[in-house]
């Protein structure tokens, strides 16, 4: 059997370090077995998927050296590799399941589903709703069919017993069927859900091993059942441990930068970041910390993955990256790599328009632009001195802005302006007052170039990290304060 693994990112945001982590282990496994590694874009969620996100995911994975043998941009025997281009394939298989009696048309409205859900809760029944719970009386089902009302296609689930499946790292996993819902396979717009598209594609693309994050364990029973319904062989499953914040919670952008673009902007070498990701739950036989991609692949054994949640720690990552920077580049290579990182035309073309009108000589540029080439800024309380705002007000503005920016996804200048203007209105502050601490947090000075442009250039994770960093310097809110502010912030948002 030829080993074929894949990474299947959904292009719905910034490229996540977790995606690179899973891609790395899929690639390492494939390479260590003489197999192939495939990249497939799972863009069935048409409301959230964007081609810009797809492009940054491809660019970031490639920057890290995680090259794929088949994919939307390189082609291959089993394409197309973008799910939105495979719609007809999924419809055909959904129809087949209907014809074989393994799936059913569900005409329930959102309100009807809510009612059933609430009734089940009151009766103490499991939350998972299966075909019996979702069935309409036969005549009503027929009426809705004849009236051609919108419907979804759901899969049928065994109503009793236990699903047992094997995981390469975890051995046998058992999940009661009563916990599994009659999953939607095809939405009313004709688009498949992740579950159907994923199983169909893994089969048609001849994927032999699925290495993915442990958050997918609960989906495995549905997938196993679909393979059974189609009479297909299921790939070997391997659920990797999730990356964690230092406080052991799931790695999240609210606490830790998660975007690969952030690590690029911070000035990490791809070799350093990749080496660190390889150390997440995996070790070399001799336990050495610094090793290259090739060394990892030569020594790869999936059994060396340990299941304790690996902590993604910025300090450790910086330390490891430092070794790569100091030991693996000679002076000329360092100079060249630095030039590519800092002084490349693409980046300069974003910065110069903000600077040019404010300078008399080139020597004026660096002092104005240095925060574009920095990581966390060297600030202290005096930098935040303001004529009317107290430090307490400033801390609150920073915390509220951090929350506001956390939930903000559209990261261009105008959208950022609207988002912060709204917050200023809610807090009954002038926009200039609200922006003062942000200017300092983002650029190090209240006199800097346009802050919205700067945030747009620095990107979401770097901007958020700087706001959090400023807050740390001034004193993060205590537990009590946090609770009070959170309540106030929620109230502000719900009023409007
Ligand atoms: N599209 C899924 C994701 O974004 C893929 C999960 C899987 O590997 O099955 O993570």
């Amino acid at each position: 059997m030829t080993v074929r693994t894949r990474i299947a990112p959904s292009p719905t945001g910034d490229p996540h370090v977790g995606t690179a982590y899973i891609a790395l282990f899929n690639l390492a496994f494939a390479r260590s077995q003489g197999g192939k590694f495939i990249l497939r874009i799972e863009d069935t969620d048409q409301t959230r998927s964007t081609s810009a996100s797809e492009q940054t995911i491809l660019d970031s994975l490639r920057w890290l050296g995680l090259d794929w043998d088949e994919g939307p941009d390189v082609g291959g025997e089993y394409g197309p590799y973008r799910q939105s281009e495979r719609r007809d394939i999924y419809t055909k298989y959904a129809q087949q399941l209907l014809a074989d009696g393994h799936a059913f048309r569900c005409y329930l409205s959102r309100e009807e589903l809510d009612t059933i859900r609430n009734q089940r809760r009151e009766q103490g029944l499991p939350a998972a709703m299966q075909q019996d719970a979702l069935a309409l009386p036969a005549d009503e089902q027929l009426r809705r069919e004849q009236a051609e009302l919108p419907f979804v296609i759901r899969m049928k689930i065994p109503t009793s017993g236990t699903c047992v499946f094997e995981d390469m790292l975890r051995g046998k996993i058992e999940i009661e069927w009563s916990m599994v819902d009659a999953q939607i396979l095809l939405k009313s717009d004709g688009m498949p859900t992740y579950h159907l598209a994923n199983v169909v594609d893994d089969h048609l693309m001849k994927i032999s091993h699925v290495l993915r994050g442990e958050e997918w364990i609960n989906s495995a029973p549905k997938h196993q059942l679909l393979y059974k319904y189609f009479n297909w062989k299921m790939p070997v499953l391997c659920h990797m441990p999730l990356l964690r914040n230092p406080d052991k919670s799931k790695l999240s952008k609210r606490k830790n930068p998660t975007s690969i673009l952030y690590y690029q902007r911070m000035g990490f070498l791809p070799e350093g970041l990749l080496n660190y990701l390889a150390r997440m739950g995996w070790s070399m036989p001799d336990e050495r910390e610094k090793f290259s991609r090739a060394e990892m692949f030569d020594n790869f054994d999936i059994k060396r993955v340990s299941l304790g949640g690996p902590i993604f720690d910025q300090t450790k990552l910086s330390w490891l990256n430092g070794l790569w920077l100091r030991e693996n580049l000679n002076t000329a290579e360092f100079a060249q790599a630095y030039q590519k990182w800092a002084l490349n035309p693409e980046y300069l073309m974003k910065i110069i328009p903000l600077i040019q009108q404010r300078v008399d000589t080139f020597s004026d540029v660096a002092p104005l632009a240095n925060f574009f080439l920095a990581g966390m800024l060297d600030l202290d309380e005096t930098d935040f001195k303001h004529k009317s705002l107290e430090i307490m007000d400033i801390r609150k503005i920073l915390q509220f802005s951090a929350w506001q920016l956390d939930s903000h996804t559209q990261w261009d200048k105008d959208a950022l302006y609207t988002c912060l203007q709204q917050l200023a209105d809610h807090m009954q502050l002038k926009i200039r007052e609200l922006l003062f601490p942000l200017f300092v947090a983002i650029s190090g000075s209240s006199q800097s170039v346009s802050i919205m442009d700067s945030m747009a250039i620095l990107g979401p994770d770097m901007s958020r990290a700087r706001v959090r960093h400023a807050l740390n310097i001034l004193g993060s809110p205590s537990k009590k304060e946090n609770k009070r502010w959170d309540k106030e912030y929620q109230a502000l948002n719900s009023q409007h």
Side-chain angles (χ1 to χ4, degrees):
M1 176 192 60
T2 321
V3 166
R4 289 172 59 85
T5 64
R6 59 26 170 212
I7 183 76
S10 298
T12 55
D14 270 1
H16 199 283
V17 280
T19 305
Y21 167 61
I22 301 292
L24 171 63
F25 280 80
N26 274 286
L27 179 61
F29 184 75
R31 290 288 176 265
S32 69
Q33 308 282 318
K36 294 249 187 288
F37 171 59
I38 287 96
L39 185 140
R40 176 173 77 229
I41 291 291
E42 298 209 331
D43 58 350
T44 54
D45 184 345
Q46 291 285 285
T47 50
R48 293 175 59 226
S49 300
T50 64
S51 53
S53 164
E54 175 184 319
Q55 194 56 50
T56 52
I57 292 173
L58 300 187
D59 292 345
S60 303
L61 293 180
R62 207 163 257 137
W63 173 72
L64 281 166
L66 297 167
D67 290 315
W68 43 97
D69 303 302
E70 296 164 30
D73 54 341
V74 294
E77 241 182 283
Y78 302 94
Y81 292 91
R82 203 177 277 116
Q83 289 187 330
S84 56
E85 294 165 21
R86 302 172 63 81
R87 231 176 125 133
D88 296 346
I89 303 177
Y90 311 121
T91 317
K92 179 181 124 203
Y93 285 106
Q95 295 300 342
Q96 183 181 323
L97 291 175
L98 273 183
D100 294 346
H102 296 311
F104 61 103
R105 290 195 179 88
C106 177
Y107 287 89
L108 294 176
S109 67
R110 194 174 295 260
E111 294 72 32
E112 286 170 321
L113 285 169
D114 284 344
T115 313
I116 302 175
R117 199 169 288 123
N118 291 338
Q119 280 167 354
R120 291 178 69 82
R121 193 175 310 125
E122 278 161 26
Q123 293 164 6
L125 293 168
M129 299 192 287
Q130 301 185 334
Q131 51 280 9
D132 297 346
L134 298 169
L136 284 168
D139 54 343
E140 181 59 14
Q141 175 82 9
L142 195 64
R143 189 189 70 75
R144 294 192 192 187
E145 268 177 39
Q146 282 168 352
E148 294 184 7
L149 295 181
F151 63 87
V152 299
I153 296 180
R154 291 179 183 267
M155 68 190 289
K156 290 187 185 165
I157 305 287
T159 46
S160 62
T162 310
C163 171
V164 184
F165 59 93
E166 279 291 327
D167 179 287
M168 264 164 111
L169 296 172
R170 295 158 203 262
K172 266 195 188 9
I173 299 182
E174 301 193 3
I175 296 179
E176 300 277 315
W177 281 117
S178 62
M179 310 290 287
V180 182
D181 61 321
Q183 174 64 49
I184 299 180
L185 299 176
L186 210 66
K187 296 181 266 188
S188 52
D189 63 0
M191 268 301 201
T193 57
Y194 155 73
H195 304 275
L196 177 66
N198 190 271
V199 164
V200 167
D201 286 350
D202 280 349
H203 172 72
L204 295 179
M205 295 180 182
K206 296 202 164 44
I207 300 301
S208 63
H209 294 74
V210 168
L211 281 71
R212 62 182 172 195
E214 67 182 298
E215 72 269 34
W216 299 104
I217 289 180
N218 286 335
S219 298
K222 296 172 187 171
H223 298 180
Q224 192 197 46
L225 194 57
L226 286 172
Y227 282 103
K228 198 171 134 205
Y229 286 163
F230 287 125
N231 215 358
W232 293 339
K233 188 169 178 293
M234 182 161 87
V236 179
L237 297 183
C238 174
H239 292 94
M240 297 289 294
L242 279 183
L243 302 183
R244 306 209 166 254
N245 295 311
D247 67 5
K248 298 261 166 79
S249 56
K250 178 181 162 195
L251 190 70
S252 69
K253 65 176 188 198
R254 277 159 209 263
K255 297 194 175 154
N256 229 318
T258 54
S259 166
I260 301 170
L261 301 179
Y262 167 85
Y263 294 94
Q264 278 179 335
R265 194 63 268 136
M266 247 340 240
F268 286 95
L269 286 175
E271 292 84 353
L273 181 53
L274 204 65
N275 185 171
Y276 190 62
L277 289 173
R279 293 283 296 112
M280 295 284 97
W282 190 83
S283 56
M284 286 288 265
D286 62 4
E287 302 280 332
R288 91 186 96 127
E289 302 253 20
K290 184 172 171 241
F291 52 88
S292 68
R293 197 182 81 138
E295 287 166 327
M296 177 191 189
F297 294 178
D298 286 346
N299 288 280
F300 192 72
D301 176 0
I302 189 78
K303 291 278 178 294
R304 293 190 65 81
V305 170
S306 91
L307 291 176
I311 306 275
F312 193 84
D313 179 68
Q314 303 283 328
T315 318
K316 199 86 201 276
L317 166 62
S318 296
W319 167 79
L320 191 56
N321 193 70
L323 297 184
W324 278 94
L325 262 188
R326 294 189 296 270
E327 295 171 3
N328 290 68
L329 301 178
N330 64 30
T331 311
E333 285 163 343
F334 189 111
Q336 200 183 21
Y338 184 77
Q339 185 184 25
K340 202 167 149 206
W341 175 75
L343 307 173
N344 68 74
E346 199 195 337
Y347 198 42
L348 285 180
M349 285 301 283
K350 291 184 185 166
I351 299 170
I352 298 301
L354 303 180
I355 309 269
Q356 191 170 0
Q357 296 311 316
R358 302 173 64 131
V359 297
D360 298 319
T361 59
F362 285 143
S363 55
D364 292 333
V365 172
L368 271 177
N370 67 5
F371 73 94
F372 285 113
L373 305 176
M376 291 311 110
L377 305 179
D378 187 15
L379 301 171
D380 63 40
E381 210 177 299
T382 53
D383 295 308
F384 290 90
K385 248 194 159 36
H386 187 264
K387 58 180 186 314
S388 59
L389 297 166
E390 300 289 330
I391 285 297
M392 184 58 121
D393 305 321
I394 293 199
R395 288 174 60 240
K396 193 166 158 186
I397 293 175
L398 286 170
Q399 180 61 79
F400 280 36
S401 304
W403 284 330
Q404 186 87 350
L405 294 173
D406 273 348
S407 52
H408 188 73
T409 45
Q410 220 191 327
W411 210 262
D412 59 76
K413 175 187 171 187
D414 295 334
L416 283 166
Y417 186 83
T418 313
C419 158
L420 292 172
Q421 173 72 62
Q422 196 181 30
L423 179 64
D425 291 346
H426 289 183
M427 293 181 82
Q428 297 183 333
L429 289 167
K430 293 199 192 83
I431 183 77
R432 291 182 52 159
E433 289 171 326
L434 182 105
L435 290 185
F436 166 77
L438 290 178
F439 261 100
V440 181
I442 300 287
S443 73
S445 152
S446 58
Q447 307 299 320
S448 111
V449 300
S450 154
I451 203 66
M452 307 297 166
D453 284 297
S454 304
M455 281 166 64
I457 292 172
L458 289 166
D461 276 25
M462 177 64 89
S463 305
R464 291 187 191 115
R466 285 197 188 166
V467 174
R468 280 197 298 266
H469 175 69
L471 196 54
N472 279 341
I473 286 165
L474 298 180
S476 307
S478 65
K479 265 206 169 114
K480 241 169 129 182
E481 210 170 19
N482 194 52
K483 228 171 149 181
R484 187 158 42 87
W485 282 358
D486 184 50
K487 231 171 148 179
E488 209 179 304
Y489 177 73
Q490 301 298 345
L492 285 184
N493 276 324
S494 60
Q495 272 166 29
H496 297 265

